[in-house]
Amino acid sequence: MSEFGMGGCPGSKMQDFREGTKGGKEEGGTRQSQLKQWPIQLHLVSPEAPYYQKADVLLAADCVAYSVGDFHKDYLKGKSIAIACPKLDEGQDVYVEKIKSFMDDAKINTLTVMTMQVPCCAGLVGIAQQALQSAKRKVPVKSIVVSLQGDVLSEDWVQ
Amino acid sequence: MEKYLNAPIKEIITTFPQVGKILEEYNIGCVPCTLGSCLLKDIVAIHNLAEEELELMYRIEKAIYPERDVKKSVSGRNIKKKSIAGEIKYSPPIKRLVDEHALIKKWVGLIPAVLENLDVESESAMQLILDGVDFIRFYADKFHHAKEEDILFEYTDKNLDVIKTMLKDHETARGHVKALLDAIKTKDQRSIVEHLSAYNGLLTEHIKKEDEILYPWIDRGLSITQVGELFAKFNEAEGKIDKGVIGRCKKFALEVEKKVQKIKAKKEVIK
């Protein structure tokens, strides 16, 4: 076992960001949540829900919202959401079918997949890609990868 | 400086030739443009220069007002990071238009070779020209340009000179096609060469401007919702067009090189 206790996997390697987050500007007031639905976990959501119909859907890896400081304002606002963890969740074949149903049945407008930079997170983009390939109705799918400290590392359209 | 930002670039370059040279250094090709009606502020905005924009504006202002103590602006705004040189990431609907350009370029790029070997008495050569004109009318114009005019440009300000220039290019191209059809009927070789050559020059430049400048600029301004809408509208528009005709056009573009080679070889044998 390494000094971080969980081997070399970047997905579970211990990292300490306390120094880097010191000194940020103190902000007053409160921000309104941009979440407009419940549930949000991909196993629990139904593509038949009214808020998915013709919507711009955000499929976010579980950790993303904790990493990106302005997640609600910059990414969730105006979108319907589903969250999942491609590393730990079981029954991921259901995920492919569900995303396919977003495209074919809910006739969503777009799908944005937000993942962390850790390699295991790329699995969520793979799931979206599989769904896109098997769906009869194609929609634009965007992949946004964020760093562990919430910076956007890349934005790419998935073919 | 405000008045020059709102002035057509041709006027500025004519009065201050140094500005043309500065623009060329930034790969902004306004000097050879025959229209030059785009406003300086739109040209600067459309080229996505990121941090270089401040330096460019400083140099232009110095060229216009050499006696003035021009201060370099310091970037305080959140300029979107410029993509790596040569790498343009198009959204899916815009990518579809770029892919259509690739097919159009297959035919347009072969026009000089077709004209070099043109014999109006040769049935196969004339059939190739006719097929090429059909490709232009149905694929380049009805299928591709119509999507731009009826859908894509609706997401821009149609009063912008850059859009007016693109629309004018489409009209000019239609004029060449009309003249070509007349010339084919009368087997007027000189007129066929004239209009097909002009079409070749026009479309080559037009596609380059769209792929490298206009489309990326439009793409940068689209929200994710608009990207989805555009994609759906393109699908809907394509659904209304006869798939057989489009299939024939695609087949023509993919096979035209072989046909041109055949005509060329036949001509060599006759010689």
Side-chain angles (χ1 to χ4, degrees):
Chain A
M1 199 176 272
S2 79
E3 61 178 305
F4 299 114
M6 289 295 285
C9 170
S12 45
K13 192 168 106 180
M14 189 190 298
Q15 296 184 57
D16 189 342
F17 303 138
R18 282 179 294 180
E19 276 303 310
T21 52
K22 269 183 190 168
K25 212 167 64 183
E26 280 297 326
E27 287 178 55
T30 54
R31 276 200 182 149
Q32 195 185 340
S33 167
Q34 298 297 333
L35 185 65
K36 53 182 184 181
Q37 65 179 78
W38 192 263
I40 59 171
Q41 212 291 328
L42 191 51
H43 274 307
L44 304 179
V45 300
S46 164
E48 288 173 16
Y51 37 77
Y52 286 126
Q53 308 311 307
K54 296 182 179 173
D56 292 306
V57 173
L58 176 62
L59 174 64
D62 288 351
C63 304
V64 168
Y66 297 99
S67 166
V68 179
D70 280 322
F71 179 76
H72 279 247
K73 175 173 79 70
D74 293 343
Y75 298 100
L76 181 56
K77 191 176 180 180
K79 296 191 187 82
S80 298
I81 191 172
I83 63 165
C85 175
K87 181 167 180 158
L88 302 174
D89 293 353
E90 288 182 356
Q92 295 190 17
D93 46 341
V94 178
Y95 284 171
V96 175
E97 285 307 309
K98 208 164 257 191
I99 298 166
K100 183 172 168 259
S101 179
F102 279 148
M103 294 170 183
D104 285 336
D105 306 320
K107 299 191 176 2
I108 61 169
N109 188 44
T110 58
L111 180 71
T112 303
V113 187
M114 276 187 96
T115 53
M116 304 299 300
Q117 70 180 124
V118 293
C120 48
C121 227
L124 198 58
V125 181
I127 289 171
Q129 236 163 345
Q130 272 185 59
L132 180 66
Q133 276 157 13
S134 58
K136 287 190 193 84
R137 188 177 161 274
K138 307 297 174 197
V139 297
V141 177
K142 187 180 229 186
S143 160
I144 301 177
V145 179
V146 297
S147 73
L148 303 186
Q149 291 182 281
D151 298 317
V152 172
L153 297 176
S154 66
E155 286 192 27
D156 292 292
W157 293 98
V158 175
Q159 301 297 324
Chain B
M1 192 59 195
E2 191 67 26
K3 76 169 182 180
Y4 290 110
L5 284 171
N6 289 297
I9 195 62
K10 203 174 189 79
E11 268 180 43
I12 298 173
I13 292 173
T14 308
T15 319
F16 307 102
Q18 185 61 24
V19 172
K21 287 180 189 153
I22 294 169
L23 289 173
E24 277 176 351
E25 284 180 41
Y26 287 79
N27 291 319
I28 301 177
C30 293
V31 176
C33 178
T34 48
L35 283 174
S37 58
C38 295
L39 308 181
L40 175 59
K41 65 173 183 187
D42 294 334
I43 290 163
V44 174
I46 214 171
H47 281 80
N48 190 28
L49 296 165
E51 292 290 345
E52 287 178 311
E53 184 181 315
L54 299 172
E55 179 70 20
L56 171 68
M57 288 313 298
Y58 167 76
R59 291 182 62 194
I60 290 176
E61 195 170 347
K62 273 302 268 181
I64 294 174
Y65 301 107
E67 74 292 345
R68 195 182 271 184
D69 180 23
V70 181
K71 296 269 186 297
K72 264 192 201 179
S73 301
V74 180
S75 169
R77 63 200 169 106
N78 184 19
I79 298 173
K80 269 192 185 174
K81 205 194 273 179
K82 198 182 173 190
S83 55
I84 301 159
E87 181 204 13
I88 304 175
K89 291 177 181 175
Y90 301 103
S91 67
I94 302 287
K95 173 80 169 48
R96 200 182 293 184
L97 296 177
V98 174
D99 290 345
E100 287 165 13
H101 276 168
L103 212 58
I104 295 167
K105 282 195 287 188
K106 274 189 190 290
W107 163 232
V108 169
L110 285 167
I111 287 175
V114 170
L115 294 180
E116 203 178 301
N117 297 286
L118 180 64
D119 172 6
V120 288
E121 298 308 326
S122 156
E123 207 177 300
S124 58
M126 289 305 278
Q127 189 57 50
L128 183 68
I129 299 275
L130 266 174
D131 291 344
V133 172
D134 269 353
F135 174 81
I136 292 168
R137 287 168 69 200
F138 294 109
Y139 191 83
D141 202 29
K142 210 172 170 188
F143 186 69
H144 175 79
H145 288 159
K147 272 191 289 198
E148 291 181 336
E149 292 178 9
D150 300 340
I151 303 170
L152 180 68
F153 292 170
E154 291 298 324
Y155 287 83
T156 67
D157 178 355
K158 280 190 168 177
N159 292 316
L160 281 175
D161 287 291
V162 64
I163 302 296
K164 285 184 191 164
T165 305
M166 294 300 135
L167 292 170
K168 195 167 187 301
D169 280 355
H170 291 178
E171 281 310 312
T172 308
R174 284 171 192 137
H176 287 307
V177 169
K178 195 170 175 294
L180 258 170
L181 285 168
D182 293 340
I184 291 167
K185 268 184 211 156
T186 55
K187 291 189 176 179
D188 180 345
Q189 178 145 350
R190 192 192 55 80
S191 185
I192 292 173
V193 171
E194 180 192 332
H195 291 287
L196 211 45
S197 298
Y199 184 87
N200 170 42
L202 178 73
L203 258 280
T204 304
E205 269 303 302
H206 180 81
I207 288 173
K208 189 174 159 59
K209 278 187 272 188
E210 288 191 331
D211 283 357
E212 295 176 11
I213 308 292
L214 185 73
Y215 288 170
W217 172 69
I218 293 177
D219 234 352
R220 287 195 297 277
L222 293 174
S223 67
I224 186 95
T225 305
Q226 288 174 321
V227 168
E229 276 172 17
L230 202 53
F231 192 80
K233 285 178 185 173
F234 280 0
N235 284 345
E236 198 185 329
E238 286 175 17
K240 288 178 188 160
I241 292 177
D242 186 336
K243 283 191 176 57
V245 174
I246 298 307
R248 273 203 305 279
C249 287
K250 284 184 180 172
K251 193 166 177 264
F252 165 79
L254 296 172
E255 291 175 357
V256 65
E257 193 168 1
K258 273 186 203 158
K259 286 184 184 172
V260 173
Q261 300 284 0
K262 241 185 206 173
I263 290 171
K264 218 170 167 179
K266 208 171 165 187
K267 205 177 169 193
E268 288 296 318
V269 171
I270 293 167
K271 268 185 192 172

